[in-house]
């Protein structure tokens, strides 16, 4: 699994074209042999170029904006949003809009995108979201909407939920997803066993799992996550890849897990 905030509209990407960007991202996907790829802040030109390179992957696209100026560097179609790619024959695309953050000066729309399809013979929901960072109360509302919608769509099938949550691991927002250390969700997370990144309290308690992990943003915080439904996955592991020069302000986050 891979999740990546592409920062397609905001970051300058000097010297990059849609083709050179998608080539570099495909190399990361191939290196990790990813079954599911979840992208946030991706412009349609980036999505289209990557879609054309990823043979054997079924795509799903969700535009949350009709045209930020910054997306013009990737092509004439300036739509902006999220994408999921699943290594399978076809997927069912599912979308849900999230409550608008009334404190967001840009009035950015937020959403949830899922691609329902087979991974290694098991029907799975591969999902991506991007929560607001302007208001904690609206972020909580958005997280609750994601939680409820996933429960409705998934029933009893496995779920992969990834993206930019704009929240640190111990935040109340992520209580809705983590299934341990005060969380009341149904998920584990790929960084949960990274003992090198355990908090001091986790080390003192000598726990096996910790709500922590590698930073994924230039601000030194972990904001990007790959959650997996605890009833279906085990032995999760994660790694934040080194940030590529002249690309996003986020690290690409890689994850893996075994079937339960």
């Amino acid at each position: 699994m891979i999740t990546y905030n592409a920062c397609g509209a905001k970051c300058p990407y000097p010297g990059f074209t849609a083709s050179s960007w998608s080539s570099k991202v495909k190399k990361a996907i191939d290196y990790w042999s990813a079954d599911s790829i979840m992208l946030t802040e991706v412009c349609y030109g980036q999505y289209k170029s990557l879609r054309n390179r990823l043979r054997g992957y079924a795509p799903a696209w969700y535009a949350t904006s009709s045209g930020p100026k910054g997306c013009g560097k990737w092509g004439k179609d300036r739509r902006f949003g999220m994408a999921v790619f699943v290594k399978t024959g076809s997927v069912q695309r599912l979308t849900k809009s999230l409550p608008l953050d009334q404190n967001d000066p840009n009035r950015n729309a937020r959403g949830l995108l899922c691609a329902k399809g087979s991974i290694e013979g098991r029907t799975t929901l591969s999902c991506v979201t991007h929560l607001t960072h302007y208001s904690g109360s609206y972020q909580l509302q958005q997280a609750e909407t994601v939680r409820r919608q996933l429960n409705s769509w998934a029933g009893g099938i496995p779920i992969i939920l990834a993206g930019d949550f704009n929240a640190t691991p111990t935040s109340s927002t992520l209580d809705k997803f983590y299934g341990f250390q005060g969380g009341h969700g149904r998920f584990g997370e790929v960084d949960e066993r990274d003992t090198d990144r355990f908090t001091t309290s986790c080390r003192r308690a000598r726990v096996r799992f910790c709500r922590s992990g590698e930073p994924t943003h230039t601000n030194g915080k972990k904001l990007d996550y790959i959650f997996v439904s605890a009833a279906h996955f085990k032995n999760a592991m994660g790694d934040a890849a080194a940030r590529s020069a002249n690309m996003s302000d986020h690290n690409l986050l890689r994850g893996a897990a075994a079937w339960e």
Side-chain angles (χ1 to χ4, degrees):
M1 302 163 283
I2 283 175
T3 190
Y4 188 41
N5 181 321
C7 192
K10 179 182 176 183
C11 294
Y13 280 99
F16 273 89
T17 63
S19 179
S20 61
W21 178 86
S22 64
S23 176
K24 193 157 189 174
V25 174
K26 183 180 183 297
K27 287 179 182 178
I29 292 168
D30 290 343
Y31 173 80
W32 198 244
S33 299
D35 293 300
S36 295
I37 303 104
M38 286 69 65
L39 304 177
T40 56
E41 287 195 33
V42 62
C43 296
Y44 186 81
Q46 294 173 289
Y47 161 74
K48 181 180 178 181
S49 184
L50 185 58
R51 182 193 66 192
N52 292 343
R53 288 185 184 274
L54 289 182
R55 296 181 181 179
Y57 286 82
W61 162 256
Y62 182 16
T64 55
S65 175
S66 60
K69 182 179 179 180
C71 282
K73 60 181 168 286
W74 307 111
K76 293 182 179 179
D77 190 331
R78 300 198 312 187
R79 284 179 293 168
F80 175 77
M82 303 182 294
V84 176
F85 296 90
V86 182
K87 190 184 290 185
T88 191
S90 62
V91 293
Q92 178 186 358
R93 174 180 174 273
L94 301 165
T95 64
K96 174 70 175 179
S97 61
L98 304 183
L100 182 67
D101 184 346
Q102 301 296 328
N103 295 317
D104 180 352
N106 301 309
R107 309 289 287 177
N108 289 316
R110 305 284 178 167
L112 170 67
L113 168 66
C114 292
K116 185 178 182 179
S118 177
I119 296 178
E120 296 184 343
R122 298 186 66 169
T123 300
T124 302
L125 275 183
S126 296
C127 304
V128 64
T129 194
H130 186 188
L131 304 184
T132 184
H133 63 279
Y134 289 99
S135 168
S137 61
Y138 284 107
Q139 187 184 83
L140 281 168
Q141 290 180 34
Q142 292 175 357
E144 177 62 15
T145 301
V146 169
R147 185 192 70 81
R148 288 178 179 271
Q149 192 61 64
L150 288 178
N151 288 340
S152 175
W153 283 341
I157 70 172
I159 305 171
I160 300 165
L161 171 64
D164 179 356
F165 289 75
N166 275 312
T168 54
T170 56
S171 67
S172 56
T173 295
L174 297 190
D175 285 347
K176 297 183 181 296
F177 304 108
Y178 279 106
F180 57 93
Q181 287 186 326
H184 43 82
R186 59 187 296 185
F187 297 96
E189 204 273 328
V190 296
D191 271 337
E192 66 187 15
R193 299 192 303 153
D194 186 354
T195 56
D196 290 340
R197 300 288 177 171
F198 275 16
T199 63
T200 300
S201 59
C202 284
R203 291 194 182 100
R204 287 173 177 169
R206 297 183 180 180
V207 295
R208 294 176 58 206
F209 308 116
C210 186
R211 289 171 59 168
S212 56
E214 287 185 85
T216 63
H217 190 268
T218 54
N219 65 9
K221 297 180 180 180
K222 178 176 171 62
L223 302 178
D224 302 86
Y225 299 81
I226 302 174
F227 290 102
V228 291
S229 49
H232 306 100
F233 294 97
K234 62 182 179 181
N235 300 333
M237 59 166 286
D239 175 60
R243 196 162 26 255
S244 296
N246 296 332
M247 291 185 71
S248 174
D249 55 356
H250 286 249
N251 299 76
L252 180 147
L253 178 63
R254 305 180 288 207
W259 294 112
E260 183 62 67

